[in-house]
Amino acid sequence: MIVTDETITKTHLYIGGEWVEPSTDRVITPVSPSTEQVLGQVPEAVEKDIDRAVAAARAAFDDPQGWATWDVSRRAEVMERFADELEKRGAEIARLVSSQNGMPISMAQAVEGGFPAIALRYYAGLIREQGIEEQRAGVFGRPTRVRHEPVGVVAAIVPWNFPQALAFVKIAPALAAGCTMVIKPSPETVLDGYAMIEAAHAAGVPAGVLNIVPAGREVGAYLVGHPGVDKVGFTGSTEAGRSIGATCGHLLRPVTLELGGKSAAILLDDADLPSLAAEFVDASLQNNGQTCYVCTRIFAPRFRYSQFLDQITDIVGSLTVGDALDPATQVGPLVSERQRARVESYIERGVAEGGRITTGGKRPAHLDRGFFIEPTVFADVSNDSTIAREEIFGPVLAVIPYDTIDEAIAMANDSDFGLGGSVWGQDTERALDVARRIQTGGVGINFYSHDIGSPFGGVKASGLGREQGPEGLAAYQNLKTIYNAP
Ligand code: NAD
């Protein structure tokens, strides 16, 4: 590993609106997956720091004149200022994310540098429009008022693959609702959180409303079960989601779980992949395959199988693999050596189970450092094989033949997961019919991505609850009815 002089050192944690000394001298040292250089160091929060952060969030929430009690337009104004401050730092945040997790910089600028401000503005607008109290006539003759009150102190646990975007699908609705938060980033991506919280501070987000505690999974588990927490928002692996869900089930604590996926792309016989190459790559290999909803099982009609396979092989084989910070890079490295070893073991397994590699499968010869793997396409894969069943979280696609559309849909639905999915064809009515029959939280037509205005989430082992859209705001609100209230 290479250490340079250009590392970023942070010595304090942001708790209660202040930069406070951490309880211990433990540190987290993020590493660039492109260069294997140490990028910096930040304090690692421990249980005592979590106690302080939860206490600060609790005090801010319980303050009789505090954030939760503010008029919605006052909260919305702060959120919009926060969006302005994030925009000023957008390029820096994108660079920090890209250098820590290997996301191609062109994507990081839009998603990690740009999306958080969009999310804040969307939810600021929504809370202004919705307000928090509605009046109903009452069926039994007396009027009621239904209040959408903030759920309380939120623990937000975020993964490394989209550290800002996935934080803000929690932060923006939670702030709009009037909640206060403790945010726990993943140890792989801690530096961007500092730029984010500096933006919050500069925007005048009140003390204690946002607290940030970089730490690993044990401390994350402690936060999830903390008595001062009212709601948990989690994005990460299905395995961790099950454990967090079990804790929250025991505590009867509301929880939103955004977990893993193994999404399907169904190619209809009239799909025109060459003209949709950019959309196809985005849907199936986004962020070096380290995206929960990527469509990595590709179902192609048998009578055109070899033609589609050639097209996919050409598209994937021509992608530029390189340093995440190079604007020309389309596929960056995997986040860590461990993650690459995991992906390589799946590639070996795919071959052992009879899959045929048509492109990729190795470490790129032109890169002598960094955790790179070539984007890889497997042909002749059975939907029962390991690489078609388990989430690989890397740039590995499995192309599976089908005979009838019913068979394709049945195979797409034959998965433990149900997060994303896509249908590719020129007859969009026919594609829409197929999309309706796929059992997942979201499906795209000739495209796959989320939209902040509509709900996002999974079924089966892909999660519980929804983020984004008005549904994502409701996830941070408790409903209270006041009866006989004119
Ligand atoms: P991970 O589950 O290992 O970690 C995610 C976060 O949870 C990290 O901050 C980690 O420190 C913390 N954590 C882990 N175990 C915990 C526990 N028991 N209690 C509390 N906190 C815990 O996942 P990862 O490797 O960082 O991310 C990759 C996974 O996330 C993939 O499975 C991917 O599909 C999933 N993901 C899902 C979505 C979605 O929206 N559905 C989005 C992105 C990533």
Side-chain angles (χ1 to χ4, degrees):
M1 232 170 253
I2 306 151
V3 183
T4 69
D5 294 338
E6 292 164 33
T7 56
I8 299 169
T9 302
K10 302 285 179 186
T11 53
H12 287 65
L13 295 169
Y14 188 80
I15 294 176
E18 291 174 344
W19 294 102
V20 303
E21 293 270 353
S23 304
T24 69
D25 56 7
R26 288 170 63 166
V27 291
I28 297 172
T29 49
V31 170
S32 159
S34 294
T35 65
E36 302 183 36
Q37 288 175 317
V38 170
L39 294 165
Q41 106 178 13
V42 308
E44 179 177 0
V46 299
E47 283 78 355
K48 220 169 148 189
D49 301 306
I50 298 289
D51 291 343
R52 288 197 289 172
V54 173
R58 184 86 260 157
F61 186 77
D62 292 339
D63 179 350
Q65 269 84 50
W67 181 253
T69 71
W70 284 16
D71 182 75
V72 292
S73 60
R74 194 171 163 208
R75 279 207 296 268
E77 275 164 32
V78 173
M79 290 172 68
E80 284 161 351
R81 283 210 301 276
F82 188 8
D84 294 342
E85 292 294 334
L86 283 169
E87 274 167 350
K88 287 187 207 160
R89 295 164 177 79
E92 178 197 353
I93 290 175
R95 202 178 155 76
L96 288 170
V97 171
S98 187
S99 61
Q100 293 170 101
N101 74 358
M103 181 185 295
I105 187 70
S106 53
M107 179 182 190
Q109 281 159 351
V111 180
E112 297 291 288
F115 174 79
I118 295 172
L120 283 168
R121 293 212 165 87
Y122 169 75
Y123 281 107
L126 193 64
I127 197 72
R128 265 202 198 96
E129 188 186 306
Q130 287 192 353
I132 56 158
E133 197 166 288
E134 47 172 303
Q135 220 164 0
R136 299 192 188 174
V139 175
F140 297 152
R142 293 179 194 270
T144 65
R145 282 175 190 255
V146 178
R147 288 178 55 75
H148 301 249
E149 299 190 337
V151 72
V153 173
V154 173
I157 302 200
V158 186
W160 46 261
N161 60 339
F162 291 90
Q164 288 299 308
L166 294 174
F168 273 88
V169 291
K170 300 168 180 56
I171 294 171
L175 289 183
C179 296
T180 62
M181 304 184 82
V182 177
I183 301 152
K184 193 207 77 62
S186 209
E188 290 83 354
T189 45
V190 286
L191 300 174
D192 49 295
Y194 276 83
M196 181 277 279
I197 208 73
E198 280 159 14
H201 193 81
V205 173
V209 171
L210 290 181
N211 308 275
I212 183 160
V213 282
R217 52 189 58 193
E218 290 79 17
V219 173
Y222 178 77
L223 172 61
V224 166
H226 200 287
V229 166
D230 298 305
K231 146 110 197 179
V232 176
F234 173 74
T235 302
S237 60
T238 294
E239 188 191 355
R242 285 187 205 283
S243 153
I244 290 168
T247 302
C248 291
H250 179 71
L251 294 169
L252 297 178
R253 178 167 293 173
V255 61
T256 305
L257 299 172
E258 298 287 0
L259 310 177
K262 190 75 196 177
S263 301
I266 297 183
L267 309 184
L268 301 180
D269 50 21
D270 62 346
D272 180 6
L273 285 190
S275 75
L276 294 167
E279 288 81 355
F280 180 78
V281 168
D282 212 36
S284 56
L285 289 166
Q286 191 188 64
N287 196 20
N288 322 330
Q290 299 175 128
T291 304
C292 51
Y293 55 63
V294 280
C295 301
T296 51
R297 291 184 298 147
I298 297 159
F299 295 96
R302 199 181 297 275
F303 80 99
R304 281 194 62 194
Y305 184 78
S306 60
Q307 191 186 357
F308 278 129
L309 184 63
D310 289 348
Q311 290 173 355
I312 294 167
T313 302
D314 283 351
I315 292 169
V316 174
S318 65
L319 294 171
T320 305
V321 182
D323 189 311
L325 291 174
D326 183 340
T329 291
Q330 292 169 293
V331 179
L334 297 172
V335 70
S336 61
E337 195 151 22
R338 191 170 65 99
Q339 183 70 13
R340 179 172 60 181
R342 182 185 138 99
V343 172
E344 286 178 330
S345 80
Y346 274 113
I347 292 174
E348 277 169 30
R349 190 88 180 258
V351 172
E353 291 182 13
R356 175 166 59 91
I357 293 176
T358 63
T359 185
K362 306 181 297 298
R363 299 181 181 188
H366 69 289
L367 296 162
D368 57 3
R369 56 185 182 159
F371 311 129
F372 293 94
I373 191 86
E374 292 170 340
T376 303
V377 175
F378 270 97
D380 308 337
V381 177
S382 149
N383 195 43
D384 297 327
S385 66
T386 307
I387 61 164
R389 308 241 37 115
E390 296 183 13
E391 184 181 48
I392 298 175
F393 228 52
V396 182
L397 306 183
V399 188
I400 302 167
Y402 71 82
D403 290 308
T404 65
I405 193 62
D406 285 349
E407 188 199 1
I409 294 168
M411 285 195 289
N413 291 340
D414 177 14
S415 171
D416 293 339
F417 299 102
L419 187 56
S422 54
V423 187
W424 303 77
Q426 295 180 59
D427 178 346
T428 44
E429 275 308 311
R430 193 156 70 107
L432 197 52
D433 276 344
V434 175
R436 290 190 180 106
R437 296 174 60 195
I438 298 182
Q439 294 160 1
T440 66
V443 192
I445 294 173
N446 296 322
F447 168 83
Y448 189 87
S449 189
H450 66 107
D451 183 307
I452 183 76
S454 295
F456 175 91
V459 299
K460 300 191 267 184
S462 290
L464 283 179
R466 292 293 178 267
E467 292 187 320
Q468 310 190 44
E471 296 78 5
L473 175 60
Y476 291 94
Q477 293 173 318
N478 280 336
L479 292 174
K480 182 166 90 190
T481 303
I482 306 180
Y483 299 100
N484 198 22

